[in-house]
Amino acid sequence: MIRLASRRRAAVPVAVALSALVSFGVLGAGTAQATPTSLPKPPTPTCNPSVEPTWVDIMSYQVAPVVTDSLAVQVPDGATGQRTETLINTDSVTTTVNNSTEIGAGLSILFVKVEAKVGFSVMKTTSTTKTSQITTTWNLNKPGRYGLYRGTRKVQGEWVKYLCAATSPTTGVWINALNGGSGTFTTFEPPEIGAVSCANQEPAGTLRRAVQIQLSC
């Protein structure tokens, strides 16, 4: 293995790797990006393109409840029981990666990483919460003011992706593969439908509390 004499020569393997990527047909000329020092990097500087062709990591993320459809109802004394209502659409969430709504199968690894970070399942394909109409039956067994809802938890953040730039059939170095060094994503938890009353305040930051806030509970 050749040792580099100084930091000034550190760019040599990257240049070799970029050339190798083009030679092996992994990338077109000019598509790979230099690796900014502030971005997360793979745990090792070298890789095996036949074993680990890509490495993805989540830089940052935020989780927020989103009430997509709702309806406020008042249940008077003596009128409890089953109730069928049509919700009103107020918001929606759509999966996007780098501002694109077309989510290919190759991006599933990104959303698997997201799930590991947030601790719950998220949508991994092209999807949206927007619907034309939602009609459901609820069991409202106590008098009071209710919010009937459909909603989700939206996850937004930044991510990085590296490609293993082959320098031989079994060796290579990692090259940042995103324009500008990092990208953005939006996804969401599979939506839930429910009902919440104003009788007891729900925990802050939850979807049910977001519904209560809409009700001014």
Side-chain angles (χ1 to χ4, degrees), residues 119-132:
F120 55 82
S121 297
V122 299
M123 306 305 290
K124 302 179 184 65
T125 59
T126 299
S127 53
T128 181
T129 62
K130 189 171 181 63
T131 58
S132 57

mmCIF file with all atom_site columns, all heavy atoms in Angstrom, residues 119-132:
data_model
loop_
_atom_site.group_PDB
_atom_site.id
_atom_site.type_symbol
_atom_site.label_atom_id
_atom_site.label_alt_id
_atom_site.label_comp_id
_atom_site.label_asym_id
_atom_site.label_entity_id
_atom_site.label_seq_id
_atom_site.pdbx_PDB_ins_code
_atom_site.Cartn_x
_atom_site.Cartn_y
_atom_site.Cartn_z
_atom_site.occupancy
_atom_site.B_iso_or_equiv
_atom_site.pdbx_formal_charge
_atom_site.auth_seq_id
_atom_site.auth_comp_id
_atom_site.auth_asym_id
_atom_site.auth_atom_id
_atom_site.pdbx_PDB_model_num
ATOM 1   N N   . GLY A 1 119 ? -37.783 5.687  15.185 1.00 0.00 ? 119 GLY A N   1
ATOM 2   C CA  . GLY A 1 119 ? -38.372 4.641  16.002 1.00 0.00 ? 119 GLY A CA  1
ATOM 3   C C   . GLY A 1 119 ? -39.786 4.239  15.633 1.00 0.00 ? 119 GLY A C   1
ATOM 4   O O   . GLY A 1 119 ? -40.477 3.589  16.427 1.00 0.00 ? 119 GLY A O   1
ATOM 5   N N   . PHE A 1 120 ? -40.258 4.608  14.439 1.00 0.00 ? 120 PHE A N   1
ATOM 6   C CA  . PHE A 1 120 ? -41.564 4.142  13.964 1.00 0.00 ? 120 PHE A CA  1
ATOM 7   C C   . PHE A 1 120 ? -41.537 3.997  12.447 1.00 0.00 ? 120 PHE A C   1
ATOM 8   O O   . PHE A 1 120 ? -40.635 4.513  11.784 1.00 0.00 ? 120 PHE A O   1
ATOM 9   C CB  . PHE A 1 120 ? -42.693 5.068  14.409 1.00 0.00 ? 120 PHE A CB  1
ATOM 10  C CG  . PHE A 1 120 ? -42.531 6.521  14.019 1.00 0.00 ? 120 PHE A CG  1
ATOM 11  C CD1 . PHE A 1 120 ? -42.873 6.976  12.754 1.00 0.00 ? 120 PHE A CD1 1
ATOM 12  C CD2 . PHE A 1 120 ? -42.042 7.447  14.943 1.00 0.00 ? 120 PHE A CD2 1
ATOM 13  C CE1 . PHE A 1 120 ? -42.731 8.313  12.405 1.00 0.00 ? 120 PHE A CE1 1
ATOM 14  C CE2 . PHE A 1 120 ? -41.905 8.787  14.607 1.00 0.00 ? 120 PHE A CE2 1
ATOM 15  C CZ  . PHE A 1 120 ? -42.251 9.226  13.341 1.00 0.00 ? 120 PHE A CZ  1
ATOM 16  N N   . SER A 1 121 ? -42.528 3.280  11.903 1.00 0.00 ? 121 SER A N   1
ATOM 17  C CA  . SER A 1 121 ? -42.564 3.000  10.468 1.00 0.00 ? 121 SER A CA  1
ATOM 18  C C   . SER A 1 121 ? -42.926 4.257  9.678  1.00 0.00 ? 121 SER A C   1
ATOM 19  O O   . SER A 1 121 ? -43.749 5.071  10.131 1.00 0.00 ? 121 SER A O   1
ATOM 20  C CB  . SER A 1 121 ? -43.581 1.899  10.170 1.00 0.00 ? 121 SER A CB  1
ATOM 21  O OG  . SER A 1 121 ? -43.209 0.691  10.786 1.00 0.00 ? 121 SER A OG  1
ATOM 22  N N   . VAL A 1 122 ? -42.322 4.404  8.511  1.00 0.00 ? 122 VAL A N   1
ATOM 23  C CA  . VAL A 1 122 ? -42.643 5.514  7.621  1.00 0.00 ? 122 VAL A CA  1
ATOM 24  C C   . VAL A 1 122 ? -42.868 4.981  6.211  1.00 0.00 ? 122 VAL A C   1
ATOM 25  O O   . VAL A 1 122 ? -42.484 3.861  5.890  1.00 0.00 ? 122 VAL A O   1
ATOM 26  C CB  . VAL A 1 122 ? -41.518 6.577  7.597  1.00 0.00 ? 122 VAL A CB  1
ATOM 27  C CG1 . VAL A 1 122 ? -41.300 7.173  8.975  1.00 0.00 ? 122 VAL A CG1 1
ATOM 28  C CG2 . VAL A 1 122 ? -40.214 5.992  7.045  1.00 0.00 ? 122 VAL A CG2 1
ATOM 29  N N   . MET A 1 123 ? -43.482 5.816  5.371  1.00 0.00 ? 123 MET A N   1
ATOM 30  C CA  . MET A 1 123 ? -43.733 5.434  3.984  1.00 0.00 ? 123 MET A CA  1
ATOM 31  C C   . MET A 1 123 ? -42.413 5.434  3.210  1.00 0.00 ? 123 MET A C   1
ATOM 32  O O   . MET A 1 123 ? -41.610 6.356  3.335  1.00 0.00 ? 123 MET A O   1
ATOM 33  C CB  . MET A 1 123 ? -44.728 6.390  3.348  1.00 0.00 ? 123 MET A CB  1
ATOM 34  C CG  . MET A 1 123 ? -46.032 6.538  4.138  1.00 0.00 ? 123 MET A CG  1
ATOM 35  S SD  . MET A 1 123 ? -46.884 4.980  4.460  1.00 0.00 ? 123 MET A SD  1
ATOM 36  C CE  . MET A 1 123 ? -47.436 4.565  2.806  1.00 0.00 ? 123 MET A CE  1
ATOM 37  N N   . LYS A 1 124 ? -42.206 4.399  2.390  1.00 0.00 ? 124 LYS A N   1
ATOM 38  C CA  . LYS A 1 124 ? -40.938 4.223  1.676  1.00 0.00 ? 124 LYS A CA  1
ATOM 39  C C   . LYS A 1 124 ? -41.089 4.358  0.165  1.00 0.00 ? 124 LYS A C   1
ATOM 40  O O   . LYS A 1 124 ? -40.113 4.189  -0.573 1.00 0.00 ? 124 LYS A O   1
ATOM 41  C CB  . LYS A 1 124 ? -40.335 2.864  1.994  1.00 0.00 ? 124 LYS A CB  1
ATOM 42  C CG  . LYS A 1 124 ? -40.074 2.624  3.470  1.00 0.00 ? 124 LYS A CG  1
ATOM 43  C CD  . LYS A 1 124 ? -39.491 1.235  3.695  1.00 0.00 ? 124 LYS A CD  1
ATOM 44  C CE  . LYS A 1 124 ? -39.301 0.928  5.161  1.00 0.00 ? 124 LYS A CE  1
ATOM 45  N NZ  . LYS A 1 124 ? -40.589 0.858  5.892  1.00 0.00 ? 124 LYS A NZ  1
ATOM 46  N N   . THR A 1 125 ? -42.292 4.632  -0.313 1.00 0.00 ? 125 THR A N   1
ATOM 47  C CA  . THR A 1 125 ? -42.528 4.730  -1.750 1.00 0.00 ? 125 THR A CA  1
ATOM 48  C C   . THR A 1 125 ? -43.247 6.045  -2.046 1.00 0.00 ? 125 THR A C   1
ATOM 49  O O   . THR A 1 125 ? -43.586 6.808  -1.140 1.00 0.00 ? 125 THR A O   1
ATOM 50  C CB  . THR A 1 125 ? -43.400 3.560  -2.241 1.00 0.00 ? 125 THR A CB  1
ATOM 51  O OG1 . THR A 1 125 ? -44.646 3.579  -1.534 1.00 0.00 ? 125 THR A OG1 1
ATOM 52  C CG2 . THR A 1 125 ? -42.703 2.229  -1.994 1.00 0.00 ? 125 THR A CG2 1
ATOM 53  N N   . THR A 1 126 ? -43.496 6.301  -3.309 1.00 0.00 ? 126 THR A N   1
ATOM 54  C CA  . THR A 1 126 ? -44.274 7.472  -3.706 1.00 0.00 ? 126 THR A CA  1
ATOM 55  C C   . THR A 1 126 ? -45.652 7.383  -3.064 1.00 0.00 ? 126 THR A C   1
ATOM 56  O O   . THR A 1 126 ? -46.394 6.429  -3.294 1.00 0.00 ? 126 THR A O   1
ATOM 57  C CB  . THR A 1 126 ? -44.417 7.525  -5.235 1.00 0.00 ? 126 THR A CB  1
ATOM 58  O OG1 . THR A 1 126 ? -43.109 7.622  -5.815 1.00 0.00 ? 126 THR A OG1 1
ATOM 59  C CG2 . THR A 1 126 ? -45.245 8.715  -5.671 1.00 0.00 ? 126 THR A CG2 1
ATOM 60  N N   . SER A 1 127 ? -45.988 8.361  -2.220 1.00 0.00 ? 127 SER A N   1
ATOM 61  C CA  . SER A 1 127 ? -47.251 8.289  -1.486 1.00 0.00 ? 127 SER A CA  1
ATOM 62  C C   . SER A 1 127 ? -47.641 9.662  -0.967 1.00 0.00 ? 127 SER A C   1
ATOM 63  O O   . SER A 1 127 ? -46.806 10.560 -0.842 1.00 0.00 ? 127 SER A O   1
ATOM 64  C CB  . SER A 1 127 ? -47.140 7.303  -0.317 1.00 0.00 ? 127 SER A CB  1
ATOM 65  O OG  . SER A 1 127 ? -46.026 7.620  0.496  1.00 0.00 ? 127 SER A OG  1
ATOM 66  N N   . THR A 1 128 ? -48.928 9.804  -0.676 1.00 0.00 ? 128 THR A N   1
ATOM 67  C CA  . THR A 1 128 ? -49.440 11.051 -0.139 1.00 0.00 ? 128 THR A CA  1
ATOM 68  C C   . THR A 1 128 ? -50.623 10.764 0.771  1.00 0.00 ? 128 THR A C   1
ATOM 69  O O   . THR A 1 128 ? -51.286 9.728  0.629  1.00 0.00 ? 128 THR A O   1
ATOM 70  C CB  . THR A 1 128 ? -49.872 12.010 -1.261 1.00 0.00 ? 128 THR A CB  1
ATOM 71  O OG1 . THR A 1 128 ? -50.362 13.238 -0.680 1.00 0.00 ? 128 THR A OG1 1
ATOM 72  C CG2 . THR A 1 128 ? -50.950 11.409 -2.124 1.00 0.00 ? 128 THR A CG2 1
ATOM 73  N N   . THR A 1 129 ? -50.878 11.666 1.711  1.00 0.00 ? 129 THR A N   1
ATOM 74  C CA  . THR A 1 129 ? -52.045 11.521 2.587  1.00 0.00 ? 129 THR A CA  1
ATOM 75  C C   . THR A 1 129 ? -53.282 12.185 1.998  1.00 0.00 ? 129 THR A C   1
ATOM 76  O O   . THR A 1 129 ? -54.364 12.079 2.568  1.00 0.00 ? 129 THR A O   1
ATOM 77  C CB  . THR A 1 129 ? -51.768 12.150 3.960  1.00 0.00 ? 129 THR A CB  1
ATOM 78  O OG1 . THR A 1 129 ? -51.526 13.559 3.789  1.00 0.00 ? 129 THR A OG1 1
ATOM 79  C CG2 . THR A 1 129 ? -50.576 11.508 4.640  1.00 0.00 ? 129 THR A CG2 1
ATOM 80  N N   . LYS A 1 130 ? -53.142 12.855 0.886  1.00 0.00 ? 130 LYS A N   1
ATOM 81  C CA  . LYS A 1 130 ? -54.265 13.606 0.322  1.00 0.00 ? 130 LYS A CA  1
ATOM 82  C C   . LYS A 1 130 ? -55.317 12.654 -0.236 1.00 0.00 ? 130 LYS A C   1
ATOM 83  O O   . LYS A 1 130 ? -55.022 11.751 -1.018 1.00 0.00 ? 130 LYS A O   1
ATOM 84  C CB  . LYS A 1 130 ? -53.788 14.554 -0.777 1.00 0.00 ? 130 LYS A CB  1
ATOM 85  C CG  . LYS A 1 130 ? -54.869 15.525 -1.253 1.00 0.00 ? 130 LYS A CG  1
ATOM 86  C CD  . LYS A 1 130 ? -54.287 16.578 -2.173 1.00 0.00 ? 130 LYS A CD  1
ATOM 87  C CE  . LYS A 1 130 ? -55.349 17.565 -2.625 1.00 0.00 ? 130 LYS A CE  1
ATOM 88  N NZ  . LYS A 1 130 ? -55.916 18.319 -1.480 1.00 0.00 ? 130 LYS A NZ  1
ATOM 89  N N   . THR A 1 131 ? -56.573 12.859 0.184  1.00 0.00 ? 131 THR A N   1
ATOM 90  C CA  . THR A 1 131 ? -57.693 12.061 -0.313 1.00 0.00 ? 131 THR A CA  1
ATOM 91  C C   . THR A 1 131 ? -58.849 12.996 -0.647 1.00 0.00 ? 131 THR A C   1
ATOM 92  O O   . THR A 1 131 ? -58.900 14.143 -0.174 1.00 0.00 ? 131 THR A O   1
ATOM 93  C CB  . THR A 1 131 ? -58.171 11.044 0.735  1.00 0.00 ? 131 THR A CB  1
ATOM 94  O OG1 . THR A 1 131 ? -58.539 11.757 1.926  1.00 0.00 ? 131 THR A OG1 1
ATOM 95  C CG2 . THR A 1 131 ? -57.085 10.046 1.072  1.00 0.00 ? 131 THR A CG2 1
ATOM 96  N N   . SER A 1 132 ? -59.763 12.517 -1.454 1.00 0.00 ? 132 SER A N   1
ATOM 97  C CA  . SER A 1 132 ? -60.891 13.363 -1.849 1.00 0.00 ? 132 SER A CA  1
ATOM 98  C C   . SER A 1 132 ? -61.947 13.442 -0.753 1.00 0.00 ? 132 SER A C   1
ATOM 99  O O   . SER A 1 132 ? -62.589 14.474 -0.552 1.00 0.00 ? 132 SER A O   1
ATOM 100 C CB  . SER A 1 132 ? -61.532 12.832 -3.143 1.00 0.00 ? 132 SER A CB  1
ATOM 101 O OG  . SER A 1 132 ? -61.932 11.482 -2.974 1.00 0.00 ? 132 SER A OG  1
#
